Amino acid sequence: MAGNTSEKLQQLRQILAEVTDLNRAAMLLEWDQETYMPAGGVQGRADQLSTLLRLSHVRFISDEVGRLLESLEDEVAGLAFESDEASIVRVTRRDYDQACKLPPDLVAEIARAGSVARPVWEKARHDENFTLFAPYLEKNVELNRRIADALGYKDKPYDALIDRSEPGMTTAELAAIFAELKQAIVPLVADIARHSEAVDDSVLYRGFDPDLQLSYALDVVKRLGYDLVRGRQDISTHPFSTGFGPGDVRITTRVSRDFFNECLFGSIHESGHAMYNQGMSTEIDRTPLWDGASPGVHESQSRLWENVVGRSLPFWRHFYPSLQAVFPEPLRGVDVTAFYRAVNKSQPSFIRVEADEVTYNMHVLLRFELENELLEGTLKVKDVPEAWNTRFKSYLGLDVPNDREGALQDIHWSFVSFGIFPGYTIGNLISAQLMEKIRADMPDLDAQIEQGQFATLLSWLRKYVHRHGRKFTPNELLERVTGKPLTAAPWIAYVQKKFGALYGLQAAHRS
Ligand code: ZN
C-alpha cells in the first residue's frame, strides 16, 4: 500500500501545488492592487485575476482530482485522522465537492452580479438611497438561495452558506450562541452608556506624527513575534494580511494623525493574522491545508493579539514608557492607567468596523438575523432599512440617522456572500475560549506580557492552533484544545469582568 499511496498522493499533491501557486499569484496581484498599482491598472488587473482564478478552478475540479481522491480515500482510511496524508485527502474532498456542486453558469452569474452591484452600492451609499440598491440586493438574495440549494442543507438555507465559510457550524448552533450574547451584552451596553463619562479617551485625538506611529507599530509587532524576514508592512486604505507561503506573509496598515488607535491596533490585528500563517507547518505548504481553519479561527488570532493582549493593562505597563518617549507631547500628563482606559473606551456607534470590543458582536447579530430572514423570505428587501433601524435601537440604543450609517454601510451585500459576518463574532469568542485555556496552562502570562515576553504565548498558539492550518474544522480544533465546541461563556465572562472594572459597574448589573 505504502508505495502506491505515496505515488498517488504525490500526483494529487502535484496538482494541488499548481492550484495553490495560481491562487497565490492571484493574491499577489490583489495585494499589488491594494498597495502600489496605479489607478489606470484596474481593468487589466481584473482580466489577469479572472484568467488566473479560472485556470486554478479548472485545474482543481478536473476528473483527475476526483479519481485520485477516490482511490486515496481507501488508501488513507487506516491512517490517523490528524496525519498530513489523511487530512489532505479529507479537506481536499470537502473543497472539491463544494467546487463541483456549483454549476459553472451560476459561478459566472455570481461574479457578474457582484461586479454590477458594487458601483451601484457605492452610489446608493453615497446618496443615502437604499431604493437604488434594493433590486441588486434582491438579485443577491436569489443567488444566495441558489448557492444554498446547489450545496444542499438539512435544516435552513443559511446552513449551507455558514458551512461554506465555517465548516461544520450550523445556523441553530449560532442562533443559540447569539441569543446568549444578546442576553448578556444588551444590558452591559446600556450600563456602560449610563457610565460613559467614566472613561476619557481624548488623549487619542491629540495628534500623533504618522511616520513615528508607523515605525513604532512595526517595532511592536516585531516584538510580538511577527517575523519580518518572512514578512513586510505596507500602507493600504483597508488593512489586511495575505500569505503567499511560509516564507512571505505580509500585512498592511493605515495611519491617521488625528486618531491613535488606527495604526497601532490595526498593525497588531493584522500581525495576529500573519503570525497564524507564519506558524503553519511547512509540511502542508502548497496544499489546501495551508490556510486558516476558517475565517472565524483566523479572526480569533488577530483579535487575541489586538484586544486580549494589546488592550490589556500588562501590555501597556510594558510598552507605555517607550510610547511616551516617542510621543512626549501628546502623552504629557497621561499615566499608563489613563492610557489603558482610553484605548478601551466602549461606546455604541453606527459603523461596525469602528465598533469596540463590547458592542461589536451586536453589529454582527443584527446582520446574522437579517440575512437569515432574507433567505427564508420572512423579510422583504424593501423592508431592510426599517428592520435594521428598529433592531439597532433595541440592541445598541441609537437612532440610525440614514442608510449610509445603517443598512448600506457594508460592502458585503454588494457581492454575493451571505454567511460571512458570523465569522467576526466567532473569532471574538474563540479568542476568549483559547485564552481561558492559555491562562490555565500559563499562570504567569500577565507577568510575561508585562516583561515584554511573548515567545511562550506564541509557541503555545503555534503548537495548538497555527501549525495545523485547515486540518481541523473550527469545532474539531476547539474540542481538541479546550475540550469544548464553540461557546460564548468565556468571552462574556471576559468582557463583563474587564468592562465592569473599567466603568465601575455593579456586579448585579453584570450577571
Ligand atoms: Zn481580521
Side-chain angles (χ1 to χ4, degrees):
M1 167 193 131
N4 230 347
T5 299
S6 63
E7 198 181 304
K8 288 225 161 86
L9 193 64
Q10 264 175 18
Q11 287 172 22
L12 180 66
R13 285 193 72 147
Q14 179 57 38
I15 297 172
L16 296 176
E18 289 171 19
V19 170
T20 310
D21 290 346
L22 288 166
N23 288 338
R24 286 175 180 173
M27 287 161 69
L28 182 58
L29 292 182
E30 281 167 351
W31 173 86
D32 173 69
Q33 179 161 7
E34 300 297 323
T35 49
Y36 295 106
M37 191 187 81
V42 170
Q43 187 51 50
R45 187 52 47 92
D47 294 341
Q48 296 147 13
L49 279 169
S50 125
T51 299
L52 281 175
L53 292 173
R54 185 166 42 79
L55 288 175
S56 108
H57 182 70
V58 168
R59 187 79 178 112
F60 184 59
I61 59 160
S62 64
D63 294 342
E64 195 184 354
V65 171
R67 276 195 302 273
L68 284 168
L69 280 174
E70 231 160 80
S71 55
L72 278 165
E73 270 160 351
D74 291 337
E75 291 171 23
V76 301
L79 298 178
F81 183 82
E82 66 272 17
S83 69
D84 288 351
E85 295 81 0
S87 301
I88 286 171
V89 172
R90 182 178 65 248
V91 173
T92 304
R93 163 63 74 189
R94 193 173 77 209
D95 291 351
Y96 182 78
D97 285 350
Q98 283 201 348
C100 293
K101 274 181 187 166
L102 293 180
D105 58 330
L106 178 58
V107 174
E109 207 176 333
I110 290 166
R112 206 162 39 238
S115 61
V116 175
R118 167 99 182 246
V120 181
W121 166 75
E122 273 168 10
K123 180 165 172 37
R125 180 165 163 269
H126 177 266
D127 297 352
E128 300 171 7
N129 180 357
F130 186 84
T131 318
L132 195 62
F133 181 57
Y136 297 85
L137 182 54
E138 247 155 46
K139 176 73 184 167
N140 283 352
V141 172
E142 182 220 316
L143 287 170
N144 272 296
R145 274 201 204 106
R146 283 169 59 193
I147 295 171
D149 289 341
L151 295 177
Y153 55 87
K154 270 208 283 258
D155 192 13
K156 287 169 172 291
Y158 204 69
D159 286 337
L161 305 175
I162 282 290
D163 187 64
R164 197 154 76 125
S165 53
E166 302 292 327
M169 296 229 173
T170 64
T171 312
E173 185 183 358
L174 288 177
I177 284 171
F178 275 119
E180 206 182 331
L181 285 176
K182 182 153 63 170
Q183 200 177 17
I185 301 311
V186 171
L188 179 64
V189 168
D191 214 358
I192 290 173
R194 279 192 294 274
H195 296 78
S196 60
E197 75 294 339
V199 174
D200 173 8
D201 68 346
S202 55
V203 58
L204 304 175
Y205 303 87
R206 281 183 189 169
F208 293 81
D209 179 85
D211 289 335
L212 291 176
Q213 283 191 66
L214 285 167
S215 59
Y216 190 82
L218 193 59
D219 186 52
V220 168
V221 298
K222 206 160 67 182
R223 284 160 191 264
L224 299 180
Y226 176 47
D227 179 1
L228 283 161
V229 175
R230 302 183 290 141
R232 55 176 288 126
Q233 174 172 273
D234 295 88
I235 306 280
S236 67
T237 320
H238 304 286
F240 64 98
S241 127
T242 184
F244 313 119
D248 189 353
V249 184
R250 305 181 189 186
I251 62 173
T252 69
T253 192
R254 59 181 165 188
V255 61
S256 154
R257 176 182 293 276
D258 301 323
F259 184 43
F260 174 81
N261 286 4
E262 220 161 69
C263 179
L264 181 67
F265 289 106
S267 293
I268 297 177
H269 180 99
E270 298 309 332
S271 75
H273 283 301
M275 286 188 277
Y276 186 6
N277 282 79
Q278 286 187 336
M280 287 169 194
S281 161
T282 53
E283 306 289 314
I284 55 173
D285 185 29
R286 296 172 92 208
T287 78
L289 297 186
W290 198 90
D291 205 345
S294 73
V297 175
H298 229 306
E299 196 66 9
S300 79
Q301 298 308 294
S302 54
R303 298 286 175 159
L304 188 143
W305 288 103
E306 178 197 354
N307 288 333
V308 187
V309 175
R311 283 187 163 89
S312 73
L313 189 53
F315 179 93
W316 283 108
R317 285 212 176 102
H318 176 73
F319 280 107
Y320 195 64
S322 64
L323 187 74
Q324 233 176 355
V326 176
F327 299 105
E329 273 314 309
L331 297 179
R332 191 179 303 281
V334 178
D335 68 15
V336 59
T337 314
F339 191 77
Y340 157 73
R341 295 171 66 80
V343 298
N344 279 292
K345 184 161 181 77
S346 169
Q347 198 165 37
S349 58
F350 296 111
I351 305 295
R352 173 184 58 86
V353 296
E354 293 163 9
D356 59 76
E357 267 186 284
V358 181
T359 57
Y360 191 94
N361 293 326
M362 291 297 101
H363 291 260
V364 177
L365 164 65
L366 170 78
R367 289 152 175 83
F368 171 74
E369 289 179 345
L370 297 185
E371 286 188 349
N372 254 295
E373 290 164 27
L374 284 168
L375 272 184
E376 307 260 313
T378 51
L379 174 66
K380 300 275 168 269
V381 165
K382 68 174 172 56
D383 299 325
V384 163
E386 198 195 323
W388 180 291
N389 298 349
T390 309
R391 264 171 256 214
F392 206 88
K393 175 80 175 174
S394 122
Y395 301 161
L396 290 164
L398 295 180
D399 293 303
V400 178
N402 56 59
D403 293 337
R404 182 187 165 81
E405 287 169 277
L408 285 173
Q409 67 181 265
D410 298 300
I411 193 170
H412 301 56
W413 286 349
S414 78
F415 48 90
V416 184
S417 62
F418 282 13
I420 300 288
F421 286 117
Y424 299 119
T425 285
I426 291 170
N428 289 328
L429 303 187
I430 293 178
S431 73
Q433 193 171 338
L434 289 176
M435 202 43 136
E436 201 177 70
K437 176 73 170 112
I438 291 168
R439 287 195 183 281
D441 290 355
M442 298 173 54
D444 66 337
L445 177 69
D446 283 343
Q448 290 195 27
I449 292 175
E450 195 166 331
Q451 285 155 21
Q453 292 169 8
F454 303 96
T456 319
L457 173 59
L458 182 57
S459 308
W460 191 100
L461 292 168
R462 290 226 194 294
K463 178 175 174 194
Y464 291 105
V465 181
H466 298 177
R467 69 189 171 97
H468 301 305
R470 287 178 78 213
K471 243 178 212 184
F472 308 115
T473 65
N475 272 336
E476 283 167 1
L477 184 74
L478 285 169
E479 295 209 28
R480 289 172 66 95
V481 182
T482 71
K484 280 179 217 150
L486 181 68
T487 157
W491 184 82
I492 292 173
Y494 158 75
V495 290
Q496 285 179 336
K497 184 171 173 219
K498 177 173 174 179
F499 289 87
L502 276 164
Y503 282 86
L505 308 178
Q506 301 297 314
H509 288 295
R510 295 186 269 128
S511 64

